[in-house]
Amino acid sequence: MLEIKNLHARIADDGTEILRGIDLVVPRGEVHAIMGPNGSGKSTLAYVLAGRDDYEITEGDILWNGESIIEMEPDERAAKGVFLAFQYPMEIPGVATMTFLRAALNSVRKKRELKELTTPEFLKLVRAKAAELGVSDEMLKRPLNVGFSGGEKKRMEILQMAVLEPTLCVLDETDSGLDIDAIRIVSEGTTKLRGPDRAMLVITHYQRLLNYIVPDKVHVLAKGRIQKTGGKELALELEKSGYADFTGKAA
Amino acid sequence: MNVTTLRTKAESQIREQFDAASASLPGTGWVSALRARAMDTFAAEGLPSRRVEEWKYTDLRDRLREVPAPAAASPGSVTVADIDAALGPVGAIDAERIVLVDGVYRADLSKVTAEATVIELMSLAAMLTKAPAWLEGKFASDGGPVVSLNTAFMSDGVMLKVRKGQDPGRPVLLVHARTSAEPSAIAVRNVISVEVGGKLTLVEAHVALDGAARGALANVVTDVTLADGAACDHIKCLVDTTSSTHLATWNTKLGKDASYSGFQLTASPALARNDINIMFAGEGSKLDLSGVFLARGSEHIDTTLVVDHAVPHCESRELFKGVLADRAHGIFQGKIIVRPDAQKTDGKQMSQALMLSPDAQFSSKPELEIYADDVVCGHGATCTEIDADLLFYCRSRGIPSDVARAMLTESFIGEAVEKIENEDVREAIGTLAIGWLRDE
């Protein structure tokens, strides 16, 4: 279970407060959506969960399975099962996608006290998951994300998620910049990972992604706080009414 | 009026060494005269100091306090296994092999299986001894102080020719091995030519064998001439941790519709100066130069290019990447000249340094001299630390900080290494570079 308690966070450089007391609980087995207008703190929340040091937590706590993670390094969090699918995945020229995936998988397996996979085991695993996501062998050989289209990059994020088998998946605007076919592929890949041991937090600006990844709960984030929580129908309401009701409210 | 040149200790040593050695260096007649002229040309200016613009960042007069004696003839106890051990991954490349030990061509350690109708190979010393008249024209008289010194002292080297329309099919590995247990100086001259439509992949490896003395000095000049339609991939690698000084000069001339891809890996000499001089002499030719320089401690690596677009419709690309740790100093000087006639020239240059320490230093001096009006030329230089966003991305995937840093450093140089076309060579060079990085 993910428990976010009265979380306050600010930009380390200039002290601008972005998160102003977030309270949120996502039990294992559930998918929750976070929706909100631009500048509401959605991406900051995603980064803070993954441990980016550009942000300082000034108050509150984040517990994953009862254990506080806010003092942990990003790679330790990954080993504990936290995974962030980036809104803008990074390009790493000169590092083959396979090499990167292998380094990541072996790192988390080592910390999870599992043995490293042999080369054939690893190739078999990646190829099977890649096929499901329409990621070609050619893409796997290329440097990570270099020259990939927006859709290919997002599929690569989901492939990484599938390979690393995290238990807490945070998807930051995975639908941004994608056409409807790409959204479908990415959503199917994500939906396959739904399971009783896994919690998911799907961050999005638009309702359309939630047609494919149907959430158990929807939270509205604005001005650094959760303003409203409801069922999946809340997403449809927001689609009609927009975020004006929330952005007008005092924080 | 008498002009007295103030000599440094090193300059005096060079003159004394020349006087002592000149009688025993290969060649008589015009060869001796050529050597004596080159010595005089050198002596007139002496070692270049920072007051000479091209040597602004590498003050050789100041840095070269003493010059070791020319290498004595090697005792001959070197084996193929010794060479392989020093070459590491480069030794595993399937290649024709030519070996020079302490500046002397060694037929016993070389193995060239290509037919004489494909490749012609001669020892330079043997040619200097024969001294045919046509050979004299191969030695430029205005190559600068380092080339003059090389001409004065050159002990040997190879003359390698790929015949018209021929392709040896596999790379030619030219090994410069150093064994001398005493600090010594070598001067080697290689003369490479690829005739019309010929193809060559040449890998120059500079290695110190186990037990070789520290503080050696190597001066290696490689002249490459590509005839019309010829193609040459020229790769040089130096991984030397014996505190040596490495002075290397490439002089390459491209004919019409020729293509030349040069790559240099330079890791950990005490001091290296890589001069690369490219002359476009025929239209429609392509140049792709790249390199990686890796330095730590107080190591100093200078790469200085002059690309001369003397004719129209040629394309040049340069990409050099450096990784600098501790107090190391990396230098990149890249001059592109576009002559008045050289319309439709397309030139792009980039130099990038990754700084692993706040005390490391990178000096970059791009120079464009453009006299034609219908050209596309650009240059850029960057000096960065490891990208924090990329580091976070890797770590968010569970990759620990030190592994992620190593991976990103490898990624940084990978872009240049990927320019090497031959897969075996690319992998061997990549392995050498990564080996250096992981030694951090």
Side-chain angles (χ1 to χ4, degrees):
Chain A
M1 185 158 68
L2 171 69
E3 296 163 89
I4 302 176
K5 295 180 171 170
N6 189 32
L7 185 68
H8 291 251
R10 64 185 185 194
I11 298 173
D13 269 356
D14 61 11
T16 309
E17 191 172 44
I18 308 285
L19 303 183
R20 301 170 180 181
I22 292 194
D23 284 291
L24 182 67
V25 173
V26 185
R28 281 177 176 240
E30 291 192 8
V31 174
H32 288 203
I34 301 238
M35 298 185 69
N38 292 330
S40 58
K42 300 193 299 291
S43 283
T44 299
L45 175 61
Y47 282 141
V48 166
L49 285 170
R52 192 179 182 113
D53 63 7
D54 297 2
Y55 301 97
E56 254 172 30
I57 293 175
T58 51
E59 215 182 319
D61 205 351
I62 304 169
L63 306 180
W64 174 234
N65 298 330
E67 186 181 12
S68 172
I69 62 170
I70 60 174
E71 294 298 328
M72 289 182 190
E73 295 294 328
D75 44 303
E76 288 176 71
R77 297 186 199 201
K80 296 275 181 193
V82 179
F83 183 93
L84 168 63
F86 279 55
Q87 181 178 4
Y88 302 108
M90 307 297 292
E91 297 186 6
I92 310 188
V95 176
T97 302
M98 275 297 202
T99 309
F100 181 83
L101 281 174
R102 190 157 190 190
L105 182 60
N106 282 336
S107 297
V108 299
R109 287 184 69 92
K110 199 171 159 189
K111 287 221 181 95
R112 291 173 192 168
E113 294 180 344
L114 298 166
K115 73 170 184 55
E116 287 191 4
L117 292 184
T118 63
T119 303
E121 286 169 340
F122 171 75
L123 291 176
K124 197 176 159 198
L125 172 81
V126 173
R127 291 220 173 102
K129 306 221 184 226
E132 289 176 7
L133 288 160
V135 172
S136 65
D137 264 14
E138 166 62 23
M139 275 170 73
L140 292 172
K141 280 184 196 152
R142 273 153 58 189
L144 185 69
N145 289 330
V146 176
F148 288 17
S149 69
E152 287 173 330
K153 285 181 183 172
K154 296 297 174 75
R155 273 187 273 157
M156 189 55 71
E157 292 293 285
I158 304 304
L159 174 61
Q160 291 183 39
M161 188 161 88
V163 167
L164 296 176
E165 300 188 318
T167 44
L168 173 60
C169 304
V170 181
L171 282 74
D172 186 12
E173 308 246 3
T174 293
D175 53 333
S176 69
L178 297 193
D179 62 30
I180 208 73
D181 289 336
I183 289 182
R184 193 176 42 77
I185 294 170
V186 160
S187 304
E188 282 171 7
T190 306
T191 303
K192 267 194 190 118
L193 294 170
R194 288 181 87 147
D197 285 332
R198 196 164 274 145
M200 287 193 186
L201 200 55
V202 178
I203 294 171
T204 182
H205 186 84
Y206 300 105
Q207 181 270 338
R208 60 177 188 173
L209 179 66
L210 305 179
N211 290 334
Y212 300 93
I213 307 174
V214 180
D216 296 296
K217 275 190 181 160
V218 174
H219 308 274
V220 180
L221 178 64
K223 301 199 159 190
R225 301 183 70 160
I226 301 294
Q227 305 285 353
K228 190 174 181 181
T229 294
K232 61 179 184 249
E233 65 288 347
L234 177 56
L236 292 166
E237 284 171 31
L238 287 167
E239 187 73 2
K240 280 190 212 128
S241 58
Y243 294 111
D245 288 354
F246 303 103
T247 50
K249 275 186 194 171
Chain B
M1 194 179 94
N2 284 329
V3 178
T4 314
T5 313
L6 268 181
R7 289 192 183 283
T8 64
K9 185 176 179 191
E11 287 163 357
S12 307
Q13 284 175 322
I14 289 169
R15 171 58 84 178
E16 286 158 22
Q17 288 166 2
F18 182 74
D19 292 342
S22 60
S24 57
L25 287 166
T28 53
W30 67 258
V31 178
S32 301
L34 173 77
R35 292 184 188 279
R37 275 202 312 279
M39 187 64 217
D40 288 343
T41 303
F42 168 77
E45 299 292 334
L47 288 165
S49 74
R50 65 179 185 281
R51 281 192 286 276
V52 178
E53 184 60 24
E54 293 81 7
W55 293 84
K56 185 173 171 176
Y57 302 104
T58 302
D59 189 327
L60 214 52
R61 182 173 291 179
D62 179 53
R63 289 177 159 268
L64 215 58
R65 294 295 173 91
E66 295 209 29
V67 177
S74 60
S77 58
V78 179
T79 64
V80 171
D82 295 334
I83 304 278
D84 279 332
L87 286 171
V90 174
I93 298 169
D94 176 31
E96 308 286 348
R97 186 181 288 193
I98 303 168
V99 178
L100 293 135
V101 175
D102 293 326
V104 175
Y105 170 66
R106 291 283 296 267
D108 59 322
L109 297 170
S110 302
K111 194 177 180 194
V112 175
T113 58
E115 300 287 338
T117 51
V118 178
I119 285 182
E120 187 185 349
L121 172 67
M122 290 170 291
S123 130
L124 183 79
M127 290 305 291
L128 290 172
T129 305
K130 279 194 226 163
W134 59 264
L135 188 60
E136 190 170 2
K138 297 277 180 192
F139 302 101
S141 55
D142 57 350
V146 171
V147 173
S148 293
L149 265 187
N150 184 280
T151 305
F153 283 92
M154 58 188 171
S155 57
D156 205 346
V158 295
M159 296 194 71
L160 177 72
K161 184 189 283 179
V162 175
R163 293 187 187 278
K164 188 176 171 183
Q166 298 294 324
D167 176 358
R170 55 178 189 164
V172 174
L173 176 60
L174 177 55
V175 182
H176 297 84
R178 200 157 48 71
T179 66
S180 179
E182 294 296 320
S184 60
I186 64 151
V188 167
R189 184 71 150 255
N190 299 308
V191 181
I192 314 293
S193 61
V194 184
E195 294 190 330
V196 174
K199 279 201 169 76
L200 172 66
T201 297
L202 176 67
V203 183
E204 266 187 76
H206 297 262
V207 292
L209 267 54
D210 213 18
R214 299 175 65 78
L217 169 67
N219 179 339
V220 180
V221 175
T222 304
D223 294 328
V224 180
T225 306
L226 303 185
D228 295 350
C232 178
D233 289 355
H234 189 182
I235 296 100
K236 174 165 87 83
C237 60
L238 167 83
V239 181
D240 192 339
T241 52
T242 62
S243 200
S244 67
T245 297
H246 177 80
L247 307 174
T249 308
W250 284 2
N251 296 312
T252 299
K253 191 173 163 188
L254 287 83
K256 203 164 82 90
D257 298 322
S259 121
Y260 183 67
S261 294
F263 178 92
Q264 298 193 334
L265 169 68
T266 310
S268 272
L271 168 69
R273 163 81 172 201
N274 292 312
D275 273 290
I276 305 177
N277 303 305
I278 307 287
M279 168 62 78
F280 282 104
E283 295 184 18
S285 289
K286 280 189 179 177
L287 167 73
D288 199 336
L289 285 179
S290 51
V292 169
F293 48 96
L294 308 171
R296 56 169 69 102
S298 58
E299 293 157 8
H300 178 107
I301 302 176
D302 177 338
T303 302
T304 295
L305 314 178
V306 179
V307 176
D308 191 340
H309 283 271
V311 294
H313 297 285
C314 289
E315 179 185 299
S316 60
R317 295 284 179 274
E318 294 94 34
L319 174 66
F320 282 78
K321 298 224 173 200
V323 178
L324 303 168
D326 307 326
R327 288 154 289 119
H329 189 183
I331 294 123
F332 178 83
Q333 304 188 96
K335 183 191 276 194
I336 300 175
I337 304 166
V338 182
R339 305 272 173 196
D341 289 343
Q343 300 295 3
K344 305 288 179 190
T345 290
D346 176 355
K348 281 192 187 68
Q349 183 180 88
M350 176 58 81
S351 65
Q352 298 178 317
L354 183 65
M355 314 300 275
L356 299 184
S357 140
D359 299 322
Q361 199 183 339
F362 178 52
S363 308
S364 177
K365 192 180 74 176
E367 286 178 273
L368 299 182
E369 280 185 23
I370 302 176
Y371 303 101
D373 54 13
D374 186 11
V375 301
V376 181
C377 274
H379 65 79
T382 63
C383 182
T384 52
E385 294 173 77
I386 286 182
D387 187 296
D389 291 343
L390 285 177
L391 189 61
F392 172 65
Y393 185 75
C394 293
R395 298 184 73 195
S396 78
R397 270 44 177 156
I399 301 172
S401 181
D402 55 338
V403 178
R405 283 176 169 277
M407 185 181 258
L408 293 174
T409 308
E410 289 166 21
S411 141
F412 172 78
I413 62 167
E415 203 189 337
V417 174
E418 276 164 24
K419 294 260 188 180
I420 301 172
E421 175 94 13
N422 181 288
E423 192 176 344
D424 291 351
V425 178
R426 183 172 64 239
E427 279 182 14
I429 298 290
T431 304
L432 275 184
I434 287 169
W436 186 92
L437 292 174
R438 293 192 180 164
D439 195 28
E440 263 285 303

